[in-house]
Amino acid sequence: MIGACIFDLDGVVVDTAKYHFIAWKALAKELGFDFTLEDNERLKGVSRTQSLEILLEIGGKQFPEHEKLAMAKKKNTLYVSFIEKMTPDETLPGVEKFLRELRSNGIKTALGSASKNAPMILERIRLTELFDIIVDGNSITEAKPNPEVFLKGAERLGVLPENCVVFEDAIAGVEAARNAKMLCVGIGEPETLGLANLVIPGFEGFTLEQLFVELRTV
Ligand code: BG6
Ligand code: MG
């Protein structure tokens, strides 16, 4: 029985990785080192603070806490200047249709994201109303793969974890779903998201019936 579906935001509902990349790359440049697209892969699903730690490790730099706070803030200011301009056509193909199908079949929907900017992004792409609840980086203390974000979502929806399905594009997120004892659909490549119960390339053409059929055998 599926009572609720919980969606990660970045890489599942929208592609914000490109904006994060430009903003982190600008910071790296200022600090005197290069930051590549390959490096950026390591930041997917990871919190802002942890992302900065990884970036500094790549550049072989160390800074006191107060300077790191200022750097994260600066990066976020640039990132926000991009997402402020986002429009609904940046929603990944098929997501909105699938969300509507879930809701019209009585399945609850939640957002489960590490991002503190999640409410603003949902407003910009006009999808806020399609989520019953939002759990984001402002309401959690533990980062994925800790299951906190998904367990909070299930609790607030009043649905048992075993009746929730999580949609995730990051390895840490798939692990968090498994740690929450929830079913997980990976969005991306099976080679990367092998721990998920099912992996699909995206939501285009994906239906609730397919979800039921694919997960019946799990
Ligand atoms: C996750 C992204 O969803 O949110 C990460 O995959 C990002 O790349 C994290 O670092 C935190 O986002 P924000 O918007 O709070 O800096
Ligand atoms: Mg993600």
Side-chain angles (χ1 to χ4, degrees), residues 8-12 14 44-45 144 167-170:
D8 172 49
L9 176 68
D10 297 307
V12 171
V14 279
K44 287 189 177 171
K144 299 168 186 177
F167 293 86
E168 254 295 348
D169 71 309

Side-chain angles (χ1 to χ4, degrees), residues 80-97:
V80 167
S81 75
F82 297 125
I83 58 171
E84 262 172 0
K85 297 189 198 86
M86 283 180 89
T87 56
D89 61 12
E90 287 185 66
T91 308
L92 289 171
V95 180
E96 181 171 355
K97 190 165 177 243

